[in-house]
Amino acid sequence: MKRPYVIINCAMSADGKIASPSGKQIRLSSEGDIKRMYQLRNENDAVLVGINTVLSDNPRLTVKEKYVKKPIQPIRIILDTHCRTPEDALVVNKDAKTLIITGEKNTCNKKFNSNVEIIKCETDKNGLINLEKMLKILLLDYEIKNLMVEGGGRVIWSFLKNRLFDEMFVYIAPVVIGGKSTPTLTRGEGVENKMIPLQIVDIQHIKPGILIHYKI
Ligand SMILES: NC(=O)c1ccc[n+]([C@@H]2O[C@H](COP(=O)([O-])OP(=O)(O)OC[C@H]3O[C@@H](n4cnc5c(N)ncnc54)[C@H](OP(=O)(O)O)[C@@H]3O)[C@@H](O)[C@H]2O)c1
């Protein structure tokens, strides 16, 4: 299937957690890793997150000029089957274009600014956005050739499970968060035996943590 080139990027603790036990955002990336993350955003046509990340972190998903000179803002994409994105969320501000991907049977009556487009997409058997169909729409209708997937755990799991990715960067901060329900790098049902194999391309020491670069 023809689809955009997909790069997953995430920061986690030494015990694989990506937020606080209550799901609040925790800064896990160091200054060096944040700079790398913004450069990666700048190099990609679009950046994607799940609706839970929008609701918990309220991210802008833009590129900051502090880290990249003359940034080219990527298109922001939210996987949001039921159109729960708040009208005042930062991700739908006027700083860049935003695509909200909703389920085909969902009507979204919210009022967003003209930079925001709502795209209806087929859902899968779990009622979530069918990623294959969505990627096809992004490539063919929006010319998105490179996509950066930033989380959270459920979204990362969906891309990994469906083998719809090409590379993955995981920054591991030398901290432990703990908590049995704390969001982890991947959520979802997991696999009993058919593990998802990865190849390590490179390991970099971006102090104080390490960055592991994987390929499928
Ligand atoms: N450390 C980091 O780098 C990092 C980065 C990002 C986020 N986070 C953390 O991640 C946490 C949120 O992660 P999360 O796992 O709860 O949620 P999430 O991955 O942000 O969003 C998941 C939601 O997206 C929607 N969705 C629609 N289609 C989907 C599909 N095909 N696959 C997966 N999800 C789909 C579903 O909600 P609907 O059914 O309503 O559509 C689903 O529940 C937050 O605590 C945030 O702080 C950390």
Side-chain angles (χ1 to χ4, degrees):
M1 185 203 67
K2 269 199 137 194
R3 61 162 174 83
Y5 191 85
V6 174
I7 300 178
I8 298 170
N9 187 79
C10 197
M12 68 176 198
S13 61
D15 53 339
K17 315 290 186 190
I18 62 167
S20 78
S22 65
K24 287 214 177 73
Q25 188 176 25
I26 289 189
R27 186 175 152 157
L28 292 163
S29 287
S30 63
E31 194 61 13
D33 189 56
I34 286 177
K35 187 170 183 202
R36 178 199 61 83
M37 182 275 291
Y38 279 118
Q39 283 167 346
L40 194 59
R41 266 190 197 169
N42 194 59
E43 288 162 12
N44 278 273
D45 297 327
V47 177
L48 178 148
V49 295
I51 179 63
N52 292 354
T53 295
V54 170
L55 296 176
S56 63
D57 302 357
N58 197 16
R60 278 188 172 78
L61 296 184
T62 48
V63 183
K64 280 194 188 166
E65 291 216 43
K66 180 184 164 193
Y67 296 100
V68 179
K69 275 187 193 151
K70 295 189 182 164
I72 305 159
Q73 297 301 343
I75 296 175
R76 304 172 289 189
I77 301 173
I78 312 163
L79 291 185
D80 182 10
T81 323
H82 310 285
C83 197
R84 294 191 285 143
T85 302
E87 287 171 6
D88 61 351
L90 292 172
V91 74
V92 288
N93 67 14
K94 287 188 171 165
D95 292 351
K97 189 176 172 65
T98 304
L99 306 178
I100 299 178
I101 318 289
T102 67
E104 63 202 326
K105 293 185 190 120
N106 290 90
T107 13
C108 189
N109 298 318
K110 292 194 175 158
K111 284 194 176 67
F112 296 108
N113 70 60
S114 56
N115 281 352
V116 180
E117 216 179 305
I118 294 158
I119 302 173
K120 288 191 178 205
C121 182
E122 255 178 57
T123 47
D124 60 20
K125 61 178 185 340
N126 300 315
L128 297 169
I129 301 301
N130 180 317
L131 296 185
E132 270 196 42
K133 302 273 181 202
M134 178 203 65
L135 288 171
K136 204 171 165 190
I137 295 171
L138 296 184
L139 181 69
L140 299 180
D141 298 352
Y142 294 86
E143 295 181 3
I144 293 171
K145 296 188 181 75
N146 306 283
L147 173 68
M148 180 173 169
V149 173
E150 293 202 24
R154 285 187 177 85
V155 164
I156 291 178
W157 171 249
S158 289
F159 277 89
L160 290 172
K161 176 184 74 173
N162 293 299
R163 313 291 204 267
L164 291 171
F165 71 105
D166 300 280
E167 297 179 45
M168 178 163 76
F169 290 93
V170 180
Y171 182 76
I172 308 174
V175 295
V176 170
I177 297 172
K180 64 178 182 210
S181 318
T182 309
T184 53
L185 178 67
T186 60
R187 303 178 96 177
E189 70 279 19
V191 288
E192 281 300 331
N193 39 45
K194 276 199 166 182
M195 289 184 286
I196 300 160
L198 300 169
Q199 287 178 55
I200 295 177
V201 179
D202 186 37
I203 301 175
Q204 244 181 292
H205 192 183
I206 304 182
K207 285 181 183 170
I210 56 164
L211 177 75
I212 308 188
H213 180 191
Y214 298 96
K215 272 197 174 173
I216 189 168

